Amino acid sequence: GTIFISDKFYCNKKLINSIILNYGNISSKIFGLTIHIEDKEHITDKPCIIISNHINMFDHFIMAYIQNKVPPFITLNKFNIFPISTLIKYTKSIICSHNKKSNVVQKMKQRIKQGDQVTIYPDSCDYIPEDKLMAPFKSGAFVPKEPILPIVIRYIPSSNTNMNWNDNTLFSLLHSYLLDGDIQVYVKILPLQYYKHDYKSHEDYKHGIYELMNQGLSSLPRQEPNLMIGKSSSKYTMKFLLYIKKYILK
């Protein structure tokens, strides 16, 4: 419904930005998300590439919440279908493809040159190795050698152990999040990073920021269930669960 409204009233960008942000905030409350942000002073309007670890479907809401706007993303062409295509058009997101050259690096450099920002998940939501806190990074975000703002996200459920995409479907994740109803989200915004002259290539840039983000994640609470006995779910969560019971599970 939100994307349909965006398509009909595309000309009023301030209104659409507000509608989408409010939709994200309401959805977060329905699923019981409480967001804690560290080092918010590092948020900047400077031209840069904003990167984060990609855990689950809420990451987009979190990134919009942090920036207080609907940011342009680097997105795969498989998502460029209606109604999502309307949102991609609205945010001026950059579409890439695994199968053919799409000049994404050049497009990112052009955005930075124009004074804009673009958001990308360099870990591509891949599997996280047992001895790491994030999946290995792809190189795309680092090849332009432009300033990068790293952001790390950690979700702490009250009872749910099924937080990451991995082999989940959208429905299985939604179901497990609703059953939890109280998820603490910890976000740490790291300082703006610049390509150093002593780097031999963008691979050094990638490695340096990967290690920095790993350190940032290690300072946040561990992703383990932390059940608070006696703590009630939000009224939004309870209303949504009652709606499901009455109209869907009857």
Side-chain angles (χ1 to χ4, degrees):
T2 301
I3 297 176
F4 177 77
I5 293 172
S6 302
D7 190 36
K8 293 298 181 183
F9 300 97
Y10 184 75
C11 56
N12 194 331
K13 292 189 175 182
K14 186 175 181 180
L15 172 63
I16 297 308
N17 193 73
S18 177
I19 290 173
I20 296 175
L21 284 176
N22 280 306
Y23 170 77
N25 291 339
I26 291 171
S27 297
S28 298
K29 289 178 180 178
I30 286 174
F31 286 95
L33 270 64
T34 303
I35 304 172
H36 312 271
I37 303 177
E38 294 184 21
D39 304 320
K40 196 171 183 178
E41 69 275 9
H42 291 148
I43 283 290
T44 180
D45 291 327
K46 293 180 179 179
C48 64
I49 298 170
I50 300 176
I51 68 172
S52 177
N53 56 316
H54 198 5
I55 300 298
N56 59 47
M57 54 177 286
F58 289 117
D59 295 339
H60 302 312
F61 292 153
I62 301 301
M63 295 299 281
Y65 180 86
I66 294 168
Q67 300 176 54
N68 196 33
K69 63 181 180 182
V70 186
F73 286 91
I74 306 296
T75 184
L76 285 171
N77 58 352
K78 68 178 182 179
F79 298 116
N80 192 28
I81 55 175
F82 186 82
I84 301 175
S85 56
T86 301
L87 195 56
I88 290 174
K89 180 182 177 182
Y90 166 73
T91 59
K92 297 182 179 178
S93 292
I94 298 173
I95 301 172
C96 66
S97 171
H98 287 319
N99 302 320
K100 62 180 181 179
K101 187 176 181 180
S102 41
N103 296 319
V104 172
V105 170
Q106 194 58 40
K107 290 176 182 177
M108 284 194 290
K109 290 178 71 70
Q110 185 63 30
R111 289 290 178 89
I112 304 302
K113 187 177 180 180
Q114 293 170 350
D116 296 330
Q117 297 178 339
V118 65
T119 298
I120 184 173
Y121 302 114
D123 61 357
S124 299
C125 209
D126 287 338
Y127 279 93
I128 301 173
E130 289 187 9
D131 60 337
K132 298 291 183 181
L133 299 176
M134 294 184 299
F137 284 172
K138 304 291 191 297
S139 296
F142 311 94
V143 173
K145 301 178 182 178
E146 298 289 355
I148 289 178
L149 182 69
I151 296 174
V152 291
I153 305 173
R154 173 67 56 76
Y155 296 85
I156 311 297
S158 61
S159 58
N160 179 27
T161 59
N162 189 35
M163 290 301 302
N164 298 357
W165 277 114
N166 295 341
D167 292 324
N168 280 291
T169 64
L170 179 61
F171 180 79
S172 67
L173 282 178
L174 287 173
H175 182 260
S176 60
Y177 297 160
L178 271 174
L179 288 179
D180 189 293
D182 179 22
I183 301 171
Q184 304 298 310
V185 185
Y186 292 88
V187 181
K188 187 176 184 64
I189 303 166
L190 301 170
L192 190 65
Q193 302 296 306
Y194 296 90
Y195 186 84
K196 299 177 182 178
H197 293 295
D198 59 345
Y199 286 155
K200 295 181 180 179
S201 72
H202 66 271
E203 289 294 323
D204 289 340
Y205 196 21
K206 178 177 74 172
H207 177 74
I209 292 182
Y210 180 86
E211 292 303 321
L212 180 68
M213 291 176 67
N214 256 301
Q215 292 174 14
L217 272 172
S218 65
S219 71
L220 298 178
R222 297 182 65 179
Q223 186 179 305
E224 295 178 347
N226 183 23
L227 185 62
M228 302 288 288
I229 303 297
K231 184 175 181 181
S232 60
S233 298
S234 72
K235 61 180 181 180
Y236 300 99
T237 304
M238 294 307 298
K239 286 182 179 180
F240 196 71
L241 287 172
L242 288 172
Y243 174 85
I244 290 176
K245 181 180 179 182
K246 183 176 182 180
Y247 296 102
I248 298 178
L249 300 179
K250 60 181 179 179

